[in-house]
Structure formats: C-alpha cells, structure tokens
Amino acid sequence: MKLKVLTVIILSLLVLTGCQNKPSTHEQQIKTEQRNKTIKANQKNWNKKLENIKVLDQNEFENAFIKIPNGYNDESTSLKNLENGNQYLIEGQLIDLKSMIDRPIAPETEAIVYVSKVISGDRKLQGKTIKTVFAGGLTKGKYLYEDYGIKNSQETIYYSSATFPMPKIGSHLIMGIGNYHPDNKRQEEMYGKFGLTKNNFYTINNPETTFWVKTNGKYQINNPAFNNSAAKHEFKNIYKLTDKFNQQ
C-alpha cells in the first residue's frame, strides 16, 4: 500500500514539474504578439534601408544563373535522407535581416531566425533565436565583378541571388542547418567582424536545393529553377517532400 502511495506521489510530482516547465498558452500568445510587433518594426526598418538603393540589373545574366545545381540528385531526396544529412532540420520564422555591406567578394546578409520547431536533431534549438546568413543583399560596387559595369566603387548596391531569392522578413522557412565550423582563420575573422561566431552562427546546408519558404500559405522550394512544370515532372521526389511539409 505504501509503495502504491509513494508511486502516485512521484508521478504527481513529475506531472507537476512538467506543467511548470511548459509555457502556458497565455505566455505563448504574449511571446507571439511580441514577436509579431518586432517583425513589423524590422520590416519597416529594412524597407527604409533599401529606399533609393540601386538594384543590380542582371537581366542578361539571369537565365544563365537560374539553374538547379549539377550535384543535385532527386533520387536520393527524401525526408529521411534530409534528416540524416543535417545536424538540425528546422522550421522557423525570419525575424530580421541585417546588412553585411562590407563583406568582401560575395554579398551576404545576416538573418535572424526564430526556431518554432526542430523537425530533427537536438531539440535545444526549439523556441530559440539563431543567426545564419543568406546569399545576396547590400554591397559596395568594388565587391562586384567588372562585368556588371559598376563605375563607382563606393556606390551601395543591392545584389540579389538568382538561385536564392531573399525571403521577406516574417516569412516561414524550412531548412537544414549545422554549427558553424570556419574553413580557415581568415573566414573566421571576416564573419567575426559581423558578430558571427562558432557560438551563435549556424550555416545553411544546400540552400539552392533544400530550402523552403511559405508563400500564400504553402511551402515551396526557394530556388526559382524548381518552380516550373518541367522541373515538377523531372524532380518528383523533392515535390513529394514539399507536399509532406505542407501536410504537417
């Protein structure tokens, strides 16, 4: 009898502890409202930053740049392989974008992402805000190829990636990420200038193939090269995976 009573007490304490650790619906609602306010403010600030900024005209290069990477293998594309191939597979929301205007050679933009769900990997990131980078963004004329005909090396220009359109602040995303491991000391110092370190920075795996953005209520592959009838017929597995994400 005493053993039964003791067991009931222990179970009750475990349930109580779990309830105390789990945020209430009211707390979650408050945090969501605060996050939405932050997103609106950040959208306004980012749009203001882009006012009167020259957007690089890539019309003559665009068709050549919009493509599916040669190494992409649709036969091996599945949720299981995506989970196994990434340290974390997450669903999140883009909270903010920050310019990395002095990043040399390849323009990038810092992205602040709230992790709403860890699909696979260590759940420690769930409910956290992380930093990563997106291709493209604000840069100086001196960092672009001469082919673009930029005469003023100090002119601020917005460069957009053909295979990775910049998601809008507030967008919902699905992507595979991993802890940042610098390729070399020079790269570590470069990212360090923007406050991106091994302690707070996560890199995106295969952003041109396995990165989804929710558009009009449904996830779609971010790379425009996938979003046409010919690609849909040829690359069936990535579309099956996309459908699976939309059924969650």
Side-chain angles (χ1 to χ4, degrees):
M1 184 67 181
K2 289 182 179 180
L3 182 60
K4 289 183 178 179
V5 172
L6 183 60
T7 302
V8 171
I9 292 173
I10 291 172
L11 289 173
S12 299
L13 287 172
L14 288 173
V15 171
L16 182 60
T17 302
C19 291
Q20 288 175 339
N21 291 334
K22 187 178 180 180
S24 68
T25 304
H26 179 64
E27 289 174 332
Q28 289 176 335
Q29 185 177 354
I30 290 174
K31 288 181 179 179
T32 300
E33 290 173 355
Q34 291 174 338
R35 194 160 54 248
N36 289 338
K37 286 181 181 179
T38 299
I39 287 170
K40 285 184 179 180
N42 291 341
Q43 287 171 334
K44 185 177 180 180
N45 291 336
W46 182 251
N47 290 336
K48 188 175 182 180
K49 189 172 290 186
L50 297 183
E51 284 181 2
N52 304 317
I53 295 295
K54 179 179 179 179
V55 177
L56 190 67
D57 184 4
Q58 301 184 69
N59 288 338
E60 60 181 294
F61 303 102
E62 195 169 22
N63 289 335
F65 287 162
I66 297 179
K67 59 183 181 180
I68 295 167
N70 292 331
Y72 174 69
N73 181 3
D74 192 67
E75 290 182 6
S76 65
T77 300
S78 67
L79 180 57
K80 183 179 179 180
N81 286 340
L82 189 62
E83 291 175 342
N84 291 338
N86 289 280
Q87 189 174 357
Y88 310 93
L89 180 62
I90 66 165
E91 184 172 11
Q93 186 173 22
L94 180 57
I95 303 298
D96 199 8
L97 293 170
K98 294 186 178 181
S99 170
M100 297 171 65
I101 198 166
D102 290 318
R103 191 241 193 270
I105 310 302
E108 287 183 322
T109 300
E110 180 183 337
I112 312 298
V113 177
Y114 170 75
V115 181
S116 54
K117 181 181 180 182
V118 175
I119 300 172
S120 68
D122 194 331
R123 296 301 193 273
K124 69 179 182 180
L125 290 185
Q126 191 153 312
K128 305 292 184 182
T129 300
I130 64 167
K131 294 181 179 183
T132 187
V133 293
F134 292 161
L138 293 171
T139 187
K140 292 287 187 182
K142 62 183 177 182
Y143 297 131
L144 296 172
Y145 297 112
E146 293 180 359
D147 293 344
Y148 291 121
I150 307 300
K151 296 180 180 179
N152 183 355
S153 64
Q154 294 303 314
E155 183 179 6
T156 299
I157 295 165
Y158 185 85
Y159 173 91
S160 59
S161 169
T163 53
F164 190 90
M166 187 78 69
K168 295 180 180 179
I169 295 173
S171 297
H172 292 270
L173 319 166
I174 291 178
M175 56 185 167
I177 60 172
N179 292 324
Y180 169 56
H181 298 291
D183 292 337
N184 49 57
K185 190 68 177 176
R186 186 177 179 182
Q187 186 195 64
E188 185 176 10
E189 290 175 352
M190 184 273 292
Y191 279 125
K193 290 179 181 178
F194 299 101
L196 300 173
T197 70
K198 289 181 283 187
N199 297 323
N200 63 13
F201 179 27
Y202 296 83
T203 54
I204 302 172
N205 297 328
N206 304 316
E208 294 182 332
T209 55
T210 52
F211 185 100
W212 289 262
V213 178
K214 186 171 280 189
T215 305
N216 297 323
K218 288 189 175 183
Y219 279 111
Q220 69 175 34
I221 309 154
N222 194 41
N223 185 348
F226 282 101
N227 297 318
N228 56 68
S229 56
K232 189 173 184 179
H233 177 75
E234 184 176 357
F235 305 109
K236 294 180 180 179
N237 284 335
I238 199 165
Y239 271 88
K240 288 179 182 178
L241 181 55
T242 302
D243 289 340
K244 188 171 289 187
F245 286 143
N246 282 318
Q247 291 167 6
Q248 291 182 352

